Structures are given as structure tokens and as C-alpha cells.
Amino acid sequence: MDPRTTEADGKVQKSDVGVGKANGVGSISNKDMIFRADKIDLKSLDIQLEKHLSRVWSRDRDVQKPKEEWEIDLSKLDIRNVIAHGTYGTVYRGVYDVQDVAVKLLDWGEDGIATTAETAALRASFRQEVAVWHKLNHPNVTKFIGASMGTSNLKIPSRNSSIEGHSSLPSRACCVVVEYLPGGTLKQYLIRNRRKKLPFKIVIQLALDLSRGLSYLHSQKIVHRDVKTENMLLDTPRTLKIADFGVARVEAQNPKDMTGETGTLGYMAPEVLDGKPYNRRCDVYSFGICLWEIYCCDMPYPDLSFAEVSSAVVRQNLRPEVPRCCPSSLANIMRKCWDANPEKRPDMDEVVRLLEAIDTSKGGGMIPEDQTNGCFCFSVARGP
């Protein structure tokens, strides 16, 4: 090509810059090249610069301050011993900034076992739980302290007590920190009292705590979706507090947006079991089952499999059998709450009023099994 000719793309005109230095030989250096301004994509350069600055800003922000308003300072968290194992993780007792706390650790499956989709679902579930929990403030809802998402430097006590030091979760584990309640779960409390039963006054107190907590959640447009005695915790004065918001979600404007089996068999409402649209009244149904459980200190459907319970609740209107010794004022609340038609179930604020109106001064609780005049209310048949 003639050195005096012009490049087809118009970027460099060789006749202008020459082909050499003083001796007339050599190649064109970068500093000698001339670019036409009308050929430069300034918009693209702006976009690239903006992306670069954004990455730098994000990196600096991660180092300098928490990513979210609920993010905790891990340097203040001291994780101690295991207190429970769940479906999605392990619960430890610990201390955060001199306060006794429970620490729920979630392993996002980044150990080569879980699929990418499963890991993504766990992360989404974690964000959902935190987003719901950190805004709540009620005496019958477990107090949220904070959380850490995608943290690789958590100090986890070793499972082997003979090994000193700490073990680590797979990279990018996360945790939720809440107040520690020494009374354990409501389920454990009821099991401990299975033989001697509970005084009627305590039955109503526990029922009121649970109903008030649920009424508050519903007032915040939150559906818990897994109301059961295992998800209720007790503090030292035996105040009940609702916990575990792993499947809670803000109630959809359109009930058709809330479908699918979410919850625990035995407590799940018929419409949920049947895959139909549902709303906050699925919690009311679950409350009715919990109310029976609190009164009886027993498990519903002890002789049936999960599959049998699921089918019978939907198709045969199966419900726990209400003991004949149960006061009608309480029995009526149970039956209203677990009505097959969600629209006929009361709202939780109405349940609170009904429970507050019950007179506990004359007793009415289940009679302990070891007494000669024990209550023989139960029969083999189970029905509404």
C-alpha cells in the first residue's frame, strides 16, 4: 500500500504521520497515531467508565460499612454450643455484644453437593426471612438482633469436643441472630406436661400469646405459613413468642399468587394441602390445631401417617377429636378456626377477643392421666 494513502476506516492517515523517524524507516508508535474524533464511541466509553466506578464504589462500601441495615458486626458475635438442628441449618447458642442470643446458621450448599438452583433458593429464602423479621416489634414475636449474609469468616465451634479451635462452614455461609429464649419450644413444654396436663389458666395464657402474635403479623400483612408448636418459643416467665420466619411472606394482593404446599403436615389447612389459593386464614387453621394441642398436651393424629392425614383432612374433613371435658367456649374457638371453608374462619383479632372473654376462675383444663377420675374423653374414632 502506498504510504500516502488513507486507511479505509479513517482512523489513521499515514500521509500525515509518516512512516518513520529521522532515517525514514520504522513503524508507527502509539503516540504518533491520530484518531478521528467522529470515529470514537463516547457513549460506550461512558458506560464502561460508569461500570468501573460502580465496581470500585461497591468494593469500598463492602469494606467500610454493612451492606444492609440489618447486617451485624461479626467481631461482636461469639458462637457457643448447638441447641437445635433444622431442615435448613443449625441453631447455636451464643453471645452478641454481651446479649444472650440464638444463632441460626444456614449452609448454602456451596460444598459441591447442592445444585446452583438449590443454593439460589436458599439464599432467596434467607433474604426473605430477614426482610420479614427485622421490621417486626411485638412482645409475642421473637426479637430480631441482626444477620450476616454470605460470610466466610464465621467461627463455628468444632463438632468434635476433643479438637480445640473452630471449624468452618463452606464458603459464604450466613446467619440470623435473635434473642435467646431459655424456655425452649412450646412443643417440648407440652411433651413435658403430657401426663399431668396444664391448668386451664395456663392454656388460655399460651393461646392468647400465640393469637396476639399472629394477629400482629396479620396486621403487618405477613402470613407465617408454618404455625406449629415447634415454631413457638418460651422465655423464663413462660411468655410465648413466635419464631422461625423461614417460609413467611407478605400476603399477596391476589390470593391466586399464594399457592403450593408450604408448612407442616398435621397443621396445614385443607386449601394449602390441596394446592389451592390461600391467604392469612391458613394461619388461623394452624392456630386451631395448636390450640387443641395446648389444651390436650398431646399430638393430633398419632396413629396416622402423613399421607393418611393429608388425604383425610381434605377429603373427609378430619380434625382432632375435642375432649368432652373441654369447655364449650374453647371448643367452639377450635372448631371455628379449623373450619374447612377459609371464609368462615375468624380473623386472629377476633380470636383474641374470644379468648379474652373466657372465664378461667373455675378451671376447665384436662384432668391428669394418673388421677383415678381421669378424663376418658378420647375414643378410637377421630373426627371434627
Side-chain angles (χ1 to χ4, degrees):
M1 179 182 295
D2 189 326
R4 293 185 299 273
T5 60
T6 301
E7 291 282 350
D9 60 6
K11 287 185 178 179
V12 180
Q13 293 179 321
K14 292 184 179 180
S15 58
D16 291 335
V17 301
V19 295
K21 301 295 183 182
N23 59 5
V25 294
S27 60
I28 303 172
S29 65
N30 288 336
K31 67 179 181 180
D32 293 326
M33 296 179 67
I34 298 175
F35 290 83
R36 285 176 49 182
D38 62 335
K39 295 297 181 177
I40 299 175
D41 189 349
L42 295 177
K43 183 177 180 181
S44 177
L45 287 177
D46 284 342
I47 293 175
Q48 293 301 319
L49 180 59
E50 184 178 347
K51 288 182 178 179
H52 174 72
L53 292 176
S54 178
R55 285 195 296 268
V56 173
W57 179 82
S58 297
R59 184 171 63 247
D60 292 342
R61 184 184 62 171
D62 290 344
V63 173
Q64 295 174 7
K65 62 180 181 179
K67 297 178 182 179
E68 305 283 353
E69 58 182 314
W70 40 258
E71 191 101 11
I72 61 171
D73 181 356
L74 288 175
S75 66
K76 299 179 180 179
L77 179 62
D78 180 17
I79 301 177
R80 304 280 176 86
N81 55 295
V82 175
I83 56 178
H85 291 283
T87 305
Y88 297 111
T90 304
V91 181
Y92 292 81
R93 184 173 180 178
V95 176
Y96 181 74
D97 201 15
V98 308
Q99 179 180 356
D100 284 338
V101 296
V103 185
K104 180 179 179 182
L105 296 182
L106 301 179
D107 174 1
W108 276 338
E110 295 183 351
D111 52 7
I113 298 176
T115 65
T116 301
E118 289 170 338
T119 299
L122 287 174
R123 290 183 179 182
S125 176
F126 174 80
R127 277 194 174 276
Q128 175 177 283
E129 179 173 357
V130 172
V132 168
W133 212 337
H134 90 283
K135 298 178 181 178
L136 304 179
N137 182 22
H138 190 272
N140 297 119
V141 175
T142 308
K143 184 181 178 182
F144 176 88
I145 305 298
S148 180
M149 186 167 187
T151 304
S152 58
N153 59 344
L154 286 170
K155 297 291 190 286
I156 313 300
S158 174
R159 294 181 180 179
N160 189 340
S161 58
S162 64
I163 301 176
E164 295 184 358
H166 296 78
S167 61
S168 298
L169 285 175
S171 174
R172 311 295 289 173
C174 60
C175 68
V176 176
V177 181
V178 300
E179 64 176 322
Y180 174 73
L181 299 176
T185 69
L186 175 59
K187 185 81 166 183
Q188 294 167 335
Y189 179 74
L190 297 178
I191 290 174
R192 290 197 300 268
N193 290 276
R194 186 171 183 175
R195 291 189 61 83
K196 64 180 182 180
K197 308 303 180 185
L198 295 177
F200 194 49
K201 186 175 183 179
I202 293 180
V203 169
I204 299 303
Q205 175 250 310
L206 292 171
L208 273 171
D209 284 351
L210 178 52
S211 62
R212 286 166 178 157
L214 286 174
S215 177
Y216 168 75
L217 292 181
H218 291 178
S219 73
Q220 303 298 305
K221 306 297 183 184
I222 293 171
V223 184
H224 190 283
R225 303 201 299 173
D226 197 14
V227 174
K228 58 182 178 180
T229 53
E230 289 174 282
N231 282 342
M232 309 302 148
L233 300 176
L234 302 174
D235 64 9
T236 302
R238 205 179 48 244
T239 299
L240 181 150
K241 300 193 178 189
I242 299 173
D244 206 333
F245 291 83
V247 295
R249 63 174 292 182
V250 176
E251 188 170 27
Q253 294 283 343
N254 184 354
K256 292 182 179 180
D257 292 336
M258 298 184 69
T259 57
E261 292 187 8
T262 301
T264 302
L265 287 172
Y267 299 90
M268 291 166 64
E271 64 270 21
V272 180
L273 286 169
D274 209 22
K276 295 180 178 178
Y278 61 89
N279 55 24
R280 63 186 179 278
R281 286 193 169 89
C282 70
D283 285 349
V284 179
Y285 177 95
S286 302
F287 170 84
I289 303 297
C290 289
L291 183 57
W292 180 94
E293 200 171 339
I294 293 170
Y295 181 79
C296 298
C297 287
D298 204 352
M299 294 181 61
Y301 325 121
D303 302 320
L304 299 179
S305 68
F306 284 154
E308 290 171 329
V309 170
S310 178
S311 175
V313 165
V314 175
R315 294 172 178 78
Q316 301 170 28
N317 204 32
L318 174 71
R319 302 292 185 273
E321 181 185 4
V322 179
R324 289 192 297 272
C325 59
C326 180
S328 59
S329 55
L330 189 65
N332 289 338
I333 296 175
M334 294 180 191
R335 294 189 176 102
K336 286 181 179 180
C337 288
W338 64 43
D339 195 289
N341 184 349
E343 298 304 315
K344 292 185 178 181
R345 297 173 202 155
D347 284 325
M348 286 310 306
D349 56 354
E350 181 183 346
V351 173
V352 172
R353 291 193 294 270
L354 292 172
L355 287 169
E356 289 175 337
I358 293 179
D359 181 9
T360 61
S361 62
K362 299 179 181 179
M366 284 280 284
I367 302 173
E369 295 177 6
D370 56 359
Q371 291 188 8
T372 54
N373 60 341
C375 179
F376 298 98
C377 297
F378 292 121
S379 61
V380 176
R382 298 273 180 175

